[in-house]
Amino acid sequence: MGVAEIGSCQIVALQGAASSVIQEMLADFAMRLADAGLRVSGVIESSADNAKPCKAMMLRSLDDNRLFSISQDLGPGSLACNLDPEGLVLACAAVQQSIARGTDVVILSKFGKQEAAGGGLADAFGSAISAGLPVITAVSPAMMSEWQNYTGSLAECVAADVARHADWLTDWSRRVMTSRACA
């Protein structure tokens, strides 16, 4: 989907690249938006231990670089999901507090199974949507049905290769900010 087709949708979900690539893109977007003078809030994934990225995941706050552990040690040999819902709750609360203080753009690491079930960062998504804030996130193709049910017509998916173009973020943020100012 090209920029002209995206228009001024409130939420953009990136797809079509590895999770680590998309998280790097989200970090880059946060930096570029902040450099443009916008207040950026949210969280992105950050590996606490690059040697074992699936075992020690963190969410990094875009406001203050605070780290929230979202993984728990289940011991050697465990094959179970090591996601720590408590860490997600703490990260979500931090994002909601930031939204309440005032921000221009919210970047959330992803919409996944936890969010589809009403947990994880779902309340942060809801707060941003309720405040009419633009949101940039990621969503797996496996979660598209849940994503569409959650966002309705407020969101569009954008291929990572489209979003990589330097002018895409500038064009999208200009359109969204203009539509917010006119509302």
Side-chain angles (χ1 to χ4, degrees), residues 161-182:
D161 61 342
V162 170
R164 277 189 186 104
H165 297 292
D167 56 347
W168 176 85
L169 181 65
T170 303
D171 291 344
W172 176 79
S173 60
R174 185 180 314 123
R175 288 173 190 233
V176 171
M177 293 304 171
T178 299
S179 70
R180 286 188 70 219
C182 295

Side-chain angles (χ1 to χ4, degrees), residues 69-84:
S69 175
I70 59 168
S71 59
Q72 53 189 325
D73 185 359
L74 299 177
S78 173
L79 299 176
C81 174
N82 71 336
L83 182 67
D84 180 5

Side-chain angles (χ1 to χ4, degrees), residues 1-182:
M1 177 175 294
V3 173
E5 299 169 61
I6 295 169
S8 58
C9 61
Q10 183 179 351
I11 306 169
V12 170
L14 303 179
Q15 289 187 321
S19 179
S20 61
V21 171
I22 288 181
Q23 295 304 309
E24 288 175 21
M25 290 176 68
L26 294 175
D28 178 62
F29 291 169
M31 185 179 63
R32 290 173 39 203
L33 290 167
D35 287 348
L38 296 173
R39 296 170 299 169
V40 181
S41 297
V43 289
I44 57 172
E45 288 181 16
S46 177
S47 178
D49 181 352
N50 287 333
K52 303 183 289 184
C54 294
K55 293 289 183 186
M57 290 303 301
M58 309 287 268
L59 289 178
R60 181 175 58 84
S61 169
L62 296 173
D63 293 299
D64 57 12
N65 285 321
R66 188 169 23 154
L67 293 174
F68 299 92
S69 175
I70 59 168
S71 59
Q72 53 189 325
D73 185 359
L74 299 177
S78 173
L79 299 176
C81 174
N82 71 336
L83 182 67
D84 180 5
E86 183 178 343
L88 282 169
V89 168
L90 295 172
C92 183
V95 174
Q96 288 181 286
Q97 291 168 356
S98 182
I99 290 169
R101 284 191 304 271
T103 192
D104 296 312
V105 178
V106 177
I107 297 177
L108 297 170
S109 62
K110 70 177 177 183
F111 180 91
K113 292 178 187 177
Q114 293 290 314
E115 290 75 21
L121 298 173
D123 288 344
F125 277 101
S127 293
I129 292 167
S130 293
L133 294 169
V135 177
I136 304 175
T137 191
V139 64
S140 162
M143 299 302 299
M144 281 308 297
S145 178
E146 292 86 348
W147 173 247
Q148 290 168 341
N149 288 336
Y150 188 82
T151 60
S153 63
L154 296 175
E156 295 288 343
C157 291
V158 176
D161 61 342
V162 170
R164 277 189 186 104
H165 297 292
D167 56 347
W168 176 85
L169 181 65
T170 303
D171 291 344
W172 176 79
S173 60
R174 185 180 314 123
R175 288 173 190 233
V176 171
M177 293 304 171
T178 299
S179 70
R180 286 188 70 219
C182 295

